[in-house]
Amino acid sequence: MPTELDNSSTASGEASVSSSGNQTAPPKSTAKKKRNLPGMPDPDAEVIALSPKTLMATNRFICEICNKGFQRDQNLQLHRRGHNLPWKLRQRSSKEVKKRVYVCPEASCVHHDPSRALGDLTGIKKHFCRKHGEKKWKCDKCSKKYAVQSDWKAHSKICGTREYKCDCGTLFSRRDSFITHRAFCDALAEESARTQNPPQTQNQAQAQTAGNTNSEPDGKAQTGNSSPPPQVVAAQQPPAPALPPPPAPAPASAASQSTGVLPSSLPIQTPDLPENPNPPRILEEAPAATGLNGNSNCSTSSSSNGSTSSSVFASLFASSTASANLQPSQPPAFTDLIRAMSRPDRQADLAPCSSMEPISLGLSTNHGSSIFGTTGPERRQYAPPPQPAMSATALLQKAAQMGAAATNASLLRGLGIVSSSSTSGHQDNMHWNQRQVDPDSSSVPAGLGLSLPDGNSGLKELMMGTPSMFGPKQTTLDFLGLGMAAGGSPSGGLSALITSIGGGLDVAAAAASFGGGEFSGKDIGRSS
Amino acid sequence: MQFSHETPPQPLHHNNNTNISSSFCNLPMNNQVLRARPWAGFPTSKSLGSFGDTNCMEQLLVHCANAIESNDATLAQQILWVLNNIAPPDGDSNQRLTSGFLRALIARAAKIGSCKILAAMADSNSNISFQTHKFSIIELATFIDLTPWHRFGFTAANATILEAIDGFSTIHIVDLSLTHCMQVPTLIDAIASRNEVPPLVKLTVAGATEDVPPMLDLSYEELGSKLVNFARSRNIILEFRVVLSSYKDGFSSLIEQLRVQQHLMYSENGEALVINCHMMLHYIPEEPLPSSTSYSIGGFEPSHAACSSLRTMFLKSIRSLDPTVVVVVDEDADLTSNNLVCRLRSAFNYLWIPYDTVDTFLPKGSKQRQWYEADICWKIENVIANEGFQRVERLETKSKWVQRMRNANFRGVGFGEEAVSEVKSMLDEHAAGWGLKREDEDLVLTWKGHNVVFATAWLPA
C-alpha cells in the first residue's frame, strides 16, 4: 500500500518543505487505498494528494539569495550555481520510477476519488484551475472567460479571425458553407429590406417582406393598387420605362389556393439594382384581375433599360405587362403566356400539354408562351385591351375549381399545397397489415424460437400437442400466420413446415443451413 | 422485433425441456431482454464477437433475403431473430446499418411476401421506425455541409460551369438537384466575383420532387425569393422559376418547357444553358419501356424507342436542347438489379459508407446524426422493400453513366487544375478519410479509398 508522505519524497521534483519557506502549507497527505478499477492506468501507481495552494502555486522553489522563484527544484539548483552556492541535482532514483497519479483536492469533484485520479501533475493543475478556479482570463473579442492562461491564448488565436460570420451570429470556417448559409439566412433578408427601403418606395419594401415572409394579401392589394395604377393602366400603351413588377412568392400563398398555384410558375425576378432611384412603380397592370393580382404586388419593377427585368413575369394577368415590357434587350416573358391563356386554341403549333389544365399556366402548358423573352412582333400583337385579363381571371377561376376538385392532386402536392407528406406507401401498407393481424399471434413465434434448442422434439410436440391451434375456432393466427378464422389460406410457409415436419426435417438442421454454420450447429446443439 | 408478452396458449408436456421453454415464453422478448441469454448456451451479444463481423451480418442478411423471396417463413423468422439480436438499432455503425437493412427486409416481407407473421413483426417494428426529418432551409444548409458528400459535387460542378459560361451575357441554369438549390448560392457568388458586368442569371428548378429525402419544409417560391434576394446582394439579377416536373416521367414537362423557351428566345449575346444534375438523375426510371408505347419526352421521340428507358430518353432530350454544359454528379453504386439479393449486397457494400463517415465526428445522440441516418434508412427501405415504380433509388455506377452520356452524344471534359485544388482544399477541412481520385476525365470522391460520389462534365459532342 503506498503511503502518503510529505511532499519531499512523493511530489516529483519538489524540494523539501523547508526550502519553500513559508510559501506553501504542507500538503495534505492521505493514505489512499489502491483500487483496481477499469480505466485506472496503473493500479500500482502512487496516489498523491496536493493541497489547492500547492496546485496553484507556480514558483514554489525560491532562491534564498535573490528570491527568484522556480517551478522545479532542478531549476532552482541550477540557478544556485550562479550564486556560487552549493547545489545538488537530484539524481533519478535508482529504483524504478513509480508512476504517480494525482487527485483533485476539491472534495465534491469526481477526480477527488483516487480511482479517478489523473496521471499528470500538469493535468491535475489545469483541471483544478479550470473547474474550480477563478476565471481570470477573458477574451476581448467575445465574452469567453478562461481560468487557464494557455486555454485563453489558444482561444484568442482563433476567435474571430479567419472565420466568416453571418449577421445572425453563426461562425463558419469555410467560405462556401458561409455563403450557402448566408443566402438562406433571414438576416440577409432583413438587411436587404433595410437597404431597399430608402431608395425605393414602399412597394419595394413590401415586396421584400412579401417575398420573404409570405405576408397576407390585403397589404399587397393595397399597395398594388395604390401606387401607380394609372401608370399601370397606361402601360397599355407602350410606356417607356415601365416594367411590370416581378411576381412575389407571396401570391403563391396568398389568396385562394388556385391562384396560389399559378404563381408557382412565375419566375421571380429581382427588381432592379438599388442604384435606380426612381423607377416608376408598376404593379398590377390589369385592374380587372386585381382580385388575383393583388397578391402579386411584390416588388415593383424598375425601369432601367439595362435591366433585363423585362423578362419579368410579374402578374400573368397583366396584359399590359406585355406592353410594359418593351425593353430592347429582352422582351417580356409573359406576354405570350397570357396571350396563350386567353386564346389557347390559337396555339396550334405547339404540342398540347398532356393533362394540364390552365391552372398550370406557365408550367407545362406552353401554349407558345415564351418564358424568357419574345420577339418584337409578338409583343406588339399584344397591345390589346384588358379583355385577355378578364378571361385570364375567368380561366383562373375555372382552374381553381378544377384544382379544388383535386384532379391533379399530385400537382398540388408538388406545390406544397397539400402539406401531408406521404412518407411512403409502405407505411400505409403496414398499418393495413396491422389491422389484419391479431397481436396474440405474435406470441407464437416464441414457440418457434423455443423449438430450436430443443431440436426436433419440441417442435413436433408443439405441433402434435396442440392441434387445436390450427383449428378454425382459433381466432388468433397460428404461429405461421395462417389463422383459418382470418381466412388465410395455407401459405407456402405452412405447407413447407408441415412437409418438413412430416419429413422429419430437423429444424435445427434447417437453421444450420444458412451461413455461420458453427453458430447453429454448435450452439443449438449445445443447448441443454 | 417484438413478440407478445403473453405466453402462447399451447400446453406443453412437462419434460425436462419445459423449464427452458416456459421461462423462454415468459420472457417479454423485446429488444432489451433479448440481449440476455435467451437460452443457456446462447452467446450474449457481447461475446458474439464473430457475429459482430460485418461479413457475417451481410451473410445473414443475404440468407434472410433469400428466405423471404422463397417464402420460407420459418427460416426468415429465425434469421431475423438472430439479426435483431446481434444488430440492435442503437449499436455501433455496422449494427445500425444492419438494423436498417433488417427493418427493410421485414417491411418487404410484410408487403410482398404472404407471410403474415412477418406483418405482425413489421407492425411492432414500426414503433422503432424512423421519421425522416423535414429540414428548415438553414438546417439543410448546415446539414449538407456536414461531410463533403454534396459539397464535393458542388465545388467540382461550379468550377466547370464557370469556365463553360465565360462570355455569355445570359446564363440559364437548370438545377436538378436533390439538395434543393444548395449549390446555387456559391455558384451565384462565383459568377458575381468573376464578372465585371454581371450577366443575367435564370434559374429553373423542377418542383415536384418532395418525396425523397432530404425533405424541405419551405416552398420553392419562398426558396426562390431568398435566392433572388441573395443574388441581388451580389449585384446579380436572378430570375427564378419552378416548373412542376417529376423524375417519374423523366422530367417531361421541364424538357418541354425548356424546348419552347429555346424556340422563342431572343438574346443578343447568346444564352448559356447549363444543366446541373446532382444526385437526381438516378430517380428517373431506367427500366426498358415496352416498345409498343410511343413515348416522348418533351416532344422528342428517340429513334430507337424499342430498347429505350425514360432515363435514356431524358438524356437524349437534354442533348437535343444543345446545352452549353451538362454536369452529372451522382453516387457511385449499382442498385438497379432486379434480383433482391444482388441489390442487397450492393446496397450493403455501399451504404456502410455514410454511416461510417458521420461516425467520426457526430456524436451518437446528435440530432443531425439521427436525421442523417434516418434519411439513409429511407433509402435502404426504398431499395429493399419496394419494387416497381415505388423503388425509386436506382443508382448506377459512374461507368454506366459515362456510357449513357456518350450514347446520348455527349463528350466528356476534364476538370481543370483549379477545380481540383479547390476540391482538395475543401476536403482537407473534413475528416481524414476523405480523398479525391481522378479517373480519366472524372473526379471521384472517396472515403477510405472506396468510391463514393463521382462528378462528370459534358459538352455536346
Side-chain angles (χ1 to χ4, degrees), chain A residues 75-378:
Chain A
N75 300 349
L76 173 64
Q77 295 305 316
L78 290 171
H79 165 81
R80 280 160 62 99
R81 280 190 306 180
H83 293 303
N84 291 321
L85 286 172
W87 56 277
K88 182 175 190 285
L89 286 176
R90 281 204 319 171
Q91 302 296 329
R92 230 173 138 78
S93 51
S94 52
K95 62 176 165 77
E96 215 170 282
V97 176
K98 268 208 149 189
K99 174 100 171 85
R100 294 191 170 106
V101 292
Y102 304 88
V103 290
C104 178
E106 175 64 36
S108 60
C109 182
V110 64
H111 291 293
H112 187 65
D113 186 281
S115 63
R116 300 295 306 275
L118 300 174
D120 180 59
L121 178 63
T122 318
I124 194 76
K125 278 181 173 175
K126 281 200 170 157
H127 155 79
F128 182 76
C129 210
R130 278 185 194 124
K131 276 295 197 54
H132 313 296
E134 184 201 331
K135 293 197 162 123
K136 294 186 290 188
W137 304 97
K138 182 187 171 298
C139 173
D140 41 14
K141 289 181 206 128
C142 66
S143 58
K144 278 189 159 178
K145 285 196 167 132
Y146 296 89
V148 179
Q149 190 186 18
S150 51
D151 292 347
W152 170 77
K153 272 191 183 167
H155 165 82
S156 16
K157 263 194 202 166
I158 56 167
C159 180
T161 60
R162 305 184 65 213
E163 273 182 339
Y164 301 92
K165 184 156 171 277
C166 179
D167 292 333
C168 67
T170 325
L171 291 173
F172 302 90
S173 57
R174 288 194 357 251
R175 185 159 192 270
D176 46 21
S177 26
F178 164 64
I179 295 275
T180 309
H181 165 94
R182 187 168 155 76
F184 297 114
C185 184
D186 290 335
L188 177 67
E190 288 159 18
E191 176 195 319
S192 49
R194 270 180 275 121
T195 55
Q196 295 290 331
N197 246 336
Q200 323 233 320
T201 66
Q202 259 181 350
N203 301 330
Q204 188 72 7
Q206 272 180 354
Q208 292 310 316
T209 49
N212 297 322
T213 63
N214 263 352
S215 43
E216 51 304 335
D218 28 19
K220 293 177 230 135
Q222 286 159 11
T223 47
N225 294 327
S226 62
S227 104
Q231 282 185 24
V232 168
V233 178
Q236 299 262 350
Q237 326 102 24
L243 278 176
S253 61
S256 59
Q257 267 191 351
S258 58
T259 53
V261 171
L262 270 169
S264 68
S265 68
L266 303 186
I268 298 169
Q269 188 206 5
T270 55
D272 209 5
L273 310 179
E275 292 86 285
N276 276 324
N278 298 317
R281 305 289 164 215
I282 299 184
L283 294 182
E284 299 57 57
E285 278 83 327
T290 300
L292 296 160
N293 262 346
N295 314 319
S296 63
N297 118 32
C298 4
S299 44
T300 60
S301 54
S302 46
S303 62
S304 148
N305 288 342
S307 84
T308 44
S309 48
S310 53
S311 8
V312 143
F313 325 68
S315 30
L316 25 127
F317 335 106
S319 51
S320 45
T321 308
S323 42
N325 299 337
L326 294 181
Q327 293 309 313
S329 48
Q330 297 242 345
F334 257 66
T335 64
D336 299 342
L337 194 56
I338 294 156
R339 184 174 30 119
M341 254 179 51
S342 50
R343 298 178 286 251
D345 43 319
R346 265 222 232 149
Q347 311 305 324
D349 51 324
L350 291 171
C353 224
S354 44
S355 60
M356 295 298 186
E357 312 96 321
I359 196 175
S360 42
L361 269 193
L363 306 184
S364 35
T365 54
N366 1 353
H367 298 308
S369 47
S370 74
I371 310 306
F372 286 120
T374 60
T375 57
E378 293 173 15

Side-chain angles (χ1 to χ4, degrees), chain B residues 130-151:
Chain B
F130 52 90
Q131 264 304 103
T132 53
H133 178 77
K134 263 207 156 187
F135 291 89
S136 77
I137 193 77
I138 290 292
E139 277 173 351
L140 188 64
T142 319
F143 191 69
I144 53 117
D145 263 325
L146 288 177
T147 69
W149 200 281
H150 293 289
R151 185 58 68 190

Side-chain angles (χ1 to χ4, degrees), chain B residues 27-72:
Chain B
L27 279 179
M29 293 179 56
N30 51 26
N31 282 339
Q32 290 73 37
V33 181
L34 267 178
R35 300 216 204 107
R37 297 158 130 238
W39 66 78
F42 187 81
T44 60
S45 46
K46 275 209 159 89
S47 55
L48 276 175
S50 57
F51 303 108
D53 175 53
T54 321
N55 264 335
C56 177
M57 297 207 210
E58 185 185 341
Q59 286 304 308
L60 286 173
L61 284 171
V62 164
H63 282 288
C64 187
N66 273 322
I68 291 175
E69 287 293 271
S70 50
N71 213 13
D72 186 343

Side-chain angles (χ1 to χ4, degrees), chain B residues 153-168 171-175 183 187 190-191 194 272-277 324-327 413 415 419 457:
Chain B
F154 291 173
T155 312
N158 285 349
T160 289
I161 291 172
L162 279 178
E163 270 182 51
I165 60 174
D166 205 13
F168 286 88
I171 301 165
H172 185 188
I173 305 168
V174 178
D175 191 29
Q183 180 176 345
L187 181 56
I191 291 175
R194 198 159 153 129
L273 178 63
V274 175
I275 317 268
N276 183 61
C277 308
T324 312
V325 66
V326 177
V327 179
V413 290
F415 290 85

Side-chain angles (χ1 to χ4, degrees), chain B residues 381-392:
Chain B
E381 183 144 347
N382 188 271
V383 170
I384 302 291
N386 290 297
E387 289 295 344
F389 285 118
Q390 288 184 317
R391 176 160 66 89
V392 297

